[in-house]
Amino acid sequence: MAEGKFPTSAAPVANAESGQKALEAGEDSSGSTLTSSNENKRRFAQIRDNDVAQRIWRIVSWTPKRCRWDPESPPKFSMGLNLLFGFAAAFTVANLYYNHPILNILAVEFNVSNEQAAQIPTVMQGGYAAGLLFLCPLGDIFRRRAFVLILIFFTATMWLGLCLTNSFSVFLAISFITAVSTVTPQLMLPLVGDLAPPNRRATALSIVVSGLLLGMLIARLLSGILTQYTSWRSIYWFSFGVQYLILILLFFFMPDYPSTNPGGINYFRMLFSILKMVFKHPVLVQACLVGFLTSSIFTNYWTTLTFLLSSPPYSYDSVIIGLFALIGIVAICVGPFYSRAVIDRFVPVFSVILGLTYCLIGTIIGTYTGKHTVAGPIIQAFAIDIGIQSSQIANRSGIFAIEPKARNRVNTAYMLSVFCGQLMGTAVGNRLYAKGGWILSGSASVGFICGALLICFAKSPWNPGWIGWKGGWGIRRRDLGPKKEESGVGKEGGRKIDSGNNIRPLEIGFASP
C-alpha cells in the first residue's frame, strides 16, 4: 500500500470478482452472493473516498519505511519476529489471569464479598469470549498490523483505569472491556500460519502457543509475589507498562502484511461462515472436540490443585502453591524443540495422540498417588502441560491448512471450543472435588482424555471423510515436497498467479531455529 493512502481494493477487483468463492470461505457462488459482494465493494468505496476516513486511516496506519509491504520484496518471517510474537502473546493473555491469585485481596480493597470478587475472572472470561467471536474474524478482512496495534493501544490505555479506580463497579466494567480487546495473540497465530512454510509451521506456532501458556502461568506467579510484598496495584501498573512496551516493539518491527481478503466480506455472512466451516471440514470438528476435552483437564487440574495442596497432609501456603507454576513453565519451554523434532515431521493427529498419551499417563499417576506423595501432582503438571501444548500446536497446524483465506475464522471456531472446555473443566472439577475430593475430579480428567483419544482414532489421518480408516495410518507427512500450499500474502492482494491461473504463495523466508 502506498504510504499515506487509504487502502483500496482497485488492484484486486478483477481477481476478487472471479475468485469470490475462494475469498469467502464456505460461501457459494450464487447470484445473491455476487450481489452482496458488489454491495460490499460500493460501501468500501464510499468509506475509501471519505476525507475524514482517509485522514484517520493515515494516522493509524502510518508505518515505518522498514516495515512497509513491498510485494516485490516481502519481509522475511524471521525467528526474531516469531519470538516477538511469542513475547507479545505471553504478556497480553496474562491480563486475564493477574487477578486469579489475589481475589481475596481485591475483595478487601473494594470492600466486597469474596463471591462478588469472583465475578472479576468470570467477567473477563466472558469479555474474552466476545472478543474471540466478534473481533478475531475481522483479521480475515483488515490489515493485521494496524488492527493489532489499535487493539493493543486501546487495551493499554483502558488498563490505566484499573490501576487508578477505587470503585468496584468501574473496575468490573473496565475488566470486561479490556478482556474483549485482549485477543491480539489470536490474530497473531493465523498470521504465523500464513507466513511460516509447511515444514516449519508447527515450530513457528509452538513459539507463540508457548507464549500463550507461559502468560497464563507467569501471570499467576508474578501477581502472587508482587502483591504479597508490595500492593495489588503493582501488578496492574506492571501490566500497563508492559503493554505499552509491546505496542512500541510491534510498531517498529511488525511488518505491514496485506489483507487476505482485499475485496471485503460482509461481516454477518463472515460470522455465519464460521458455523458453515464446522459442518464442512471433518478435521476442524475433530480438532475442536479434542481441544474442548483437553482444555478441560488443564483447568480441572489447576483449579483443584490449590485445594489439595492447601489441605492436609501438605498444608502449603499460597507462595509454595504458586511455585508449582514453575513446573509448567519448564514443560512449556520444551515445546518449540519438541515441535521441531516431532510435530513438523508427522501428521497432526499422530502428534495429538502422543500429547494425549502424555496427559493420560501423567493424570493417572497424579490422580491416584496425589493424596500420598507430592511427586504425583508434580509429574502430572509436567505431563499435562507438555501434552496439551503439543496437541494444541498439532491441531492448529492441521486446521490452518483447510481454509488459507479464512484462518482467523478457523482459529475462532477452534478457540471457542477450547474456551468452552476450560469453563467446563473448572465447573466440573470444582463440583466433583466438593463431592469426592482429588481422586474423583482427577478420574473425570482421565475420562476426558480417553474420550479425546477415541475421537482421534475415529478416522485415519488420510481419510477426507468424517469417520473411518480409509487411506491408511501412515504417520509421515506427504505435503513437504516441492508443491506449496496456498498462502495468505503475496502479490495481487496476497497471491501469486501462475501460468495456469492457479493461486500459489510467495515464498516467505523463515530462519531455522
Side-chain angles (χ1 to χ4, degrees):
M1 180 180 72
E3 180 61 25
K5 292 188 178 181
F6 198 74
T8 175
S9 59
V13 163
N15 193 41
E17 290 176 347
S18 62
Q20 188 66 23
K21 184 176 179 180
L23 292 175
E24 298 194 39
E27 301 287 348
D28 58 37
S29 56
S30 64
S32 61
T33 302
L34 293 175
T35 300
S36 175
S37 175
N38 291 332
E39 291 175 357
N40 291 338
K41 292 171 189 173
R42 283 196 294 272
R43 284 195 291 266
F44 268 66
Q46 290 174 354
I47 297 173
R48 185 179 67 242
D49 296 335
N50 184 281
D51 290 338
V52 175
Q54 287 185 14
R55 291 194 186 98
I56 294 174
W57 183 256
R58 278 196 292 266
I59 294 172
V60 301
S61 65
W62 187 87
T63 305
K65 188 174 181 179
R66 54 178 288 176
C67 297
R68 294 173 192 168
W69 175 257
D70 181 2
E72 299 299 330
S73 179
K76 292 183 180 296
F77 185 62
S78 64
M79 178 57 69
L81 185 59
N82 201 173
L83 291 172
L84 175 58
F85 281 7
F87 173 79
F91 286 98
T92 301
V93 78
N95 293 341
L96 302 173
Y97 300 97
Y98 288 128
N99 60 76
H100 284 205
I102 59 172
L103 290 176
N104 59 325
I105 297 173
L106 293 175
V108 173
E109 175 70 19
F110 290 110
N111 194 27
V112 297
S113 66
N114 288 336
E115 185 178 358
Q116 287 176 294
Q119 295 176 9
I120 298 172
T122 303
V123 162
M124 294 198 78
Q125 291 293 335
Y128 189 66
L132 283 174
L133 181 58
F134 297 112
L135 289 183
C136 284
L138 293 173
D140 287 333
I141 302 176
F142 298 148
R143 300 177 79 98
R144 267 69 62 89
R145 174 188 162 88
F147 192 30
V148 166
L149 293 180
I150 289 171
L151 287 177
I152 294 176
F153 174 77
F154 176 83
T155 304
T157 304
M158 290 296 298
W159 197 264
L160 183 62
L162 297 177
C163 300
L164 298 174
T165 186
N166 291 313
S167 167
F168 180 73
S169 298
V170 173
F171 190 91
L172 204 62
I174 297 177
S175 294
F176 176 82
I177 294 170
T178 53
V180 172
S181 55
T182 305
V183 291
T184 47
Q186 301 304 331
L187 295 169
M188 293 176 180
L189 282 164
L191 181 58
V192 172
D194 283 344
L195 301 176
N199 64 324
R200 287 292 181 269
R201 180 175 293 154
T203 303
L205 288 171
S206 72
I207 292 174
V208 184
V209 172
S210 295
L212 283 170
L213 297 177
L214 280 171
M216 295 169 65
L217 298 178
I218 289 175
R220 293 180 172 94
L221 184 62
L222 288 178
S223 181
I225 293 175
L226 284 179
T227 301
Q228 179 162 347
Y229 295 106
T230 58
S231 162
W232 71 267
R233 294 188 189 269
S234 299
I235 191 63
Y236 280 84
W237 281 112
F238 170 82
S239 176
F240 174 75
V242 170
Q243 288 175 83
Y244 268 101
L245 174 62
I246 292 170
L247 178 66
I248 293 170
L249 290 173
L250 290 177
F251 180 83
F252 284 108
F253 295 105
M254 182 178 182
D256 185 22
Y257 301 106
S259 169
T260 55
N261 293 285
I265 308 175
N266 179 275
Y267 178 70
F268 296 102
R269 295 175 72 89
M270 179 178 64
L271 292 180
F272 182 66
S273 72
I274 298 174
L275 184 60
K276 294 180 71 173
M277 288 178 194
V278 174
F279 290 95
K280 181 180 178 182
H281 299 291
V283 171
L284 179 58
V285 174
Q286 185 183 53
C288 287
L289 291 175
V290 171
F292 175 84
L293 293 171
T294 54
S295 62
S296 68
I297 71 170
F298 182 86
T299 51
N300 183 2
Y301 171 78
W302 287 105
T303 300
T304 57
L305 179 69
T306 301
F307 303 142
L308 173 70
L309 297 182
S310 61
S311 59
Y314 303 114
S315 301
Y316 293 154
D317 60 32
S318 58
V319 175
I320 299 298
I321 296 173
L323 291 177
F324 267 70
L326 295 176
I327 303 167
I329 291 172
V330 172
I332 290 167
C333 290
V334 174
F337 303 100
Y338 180 84
S339 299
R340 176 73 181 274
V342 178
I343 302 178
D344 272 329
R345 299 184 180 186
F346 301 101
V347 293
V349 71
F350 175 72
S351 298
V352 172
I353 291 171
L354 282 181
L356 292 174
T357 303
Y358 305 151
C359 291
L360 182 61
I361 294 172
T363 302
I364 290 174
I365 294 173
T367 296
Y368 302 112
T369 66
K371 295 287 290 183
H372 309 289
T373 173
V374 75
I378 291 175
I379 294 172
Q380 183 176 356
F382 184 87
I384 66 172
D385 281 340
I386 191 67
I388 292 175
Q389 183 188 18
S390 61
S391 66
Q392 283 196 5
I393 293 166
N395 273 329
R396 279 194 168 96
S397 180
I399 63 178
F400 282 168
I402 61 177
E403 291 279 5
K405 300 301 176 189
R407 284 186 173 129
N408 285 278
R409 281 167 282 169
V410 169
N411 189 61
T412 295
Y414 178 72
M415 281 307 302
L416 284 174
S417 67
V418 169
F419 176 81
C420 291
Q422 291 175 347
L423 293 181
M424 192 266 285
T426 301
V428 171
N430 283 335
R431 178 162 296 188
L432 292 181
Y433 191 93
K435 288 185 175 181
W438 174 255
I439 293 179
L440 183 60
S441 63
S443 297
S445 291
V446 173
F448 295 152
I449 299 169
C450 291
L453 283 169
L454 288 175
I455 292 170
C456 289
F457 285 115
K459 64 186 292 292
S460 74
W462 305 106
N463 181 9
W466 291 93
I467 195 168
W469 295 353
K470 179 182 177 181
W473 280 93
I475 61 174
R476 284 282 182 180
R477 294 180 61 179
R478 303 171 186 172
D479 60 343
L480 303 182
K483 182 180 178 180
K484 305 289 185 182
E485 70 171 86
E486 182 183 349
S487 177
V489 296
K491 296 183 180 179
E492 296 293 330
R495 299 171 296 277
K496 276 186 175 180
I497 310 298
D498 63 21
S499 58
N501 293 325
N502 296 315
I503 299 174
R504 61 187 178 85
L506 266 180
E507 294 183 2
I508 302 297
F510 184 78
S512 298

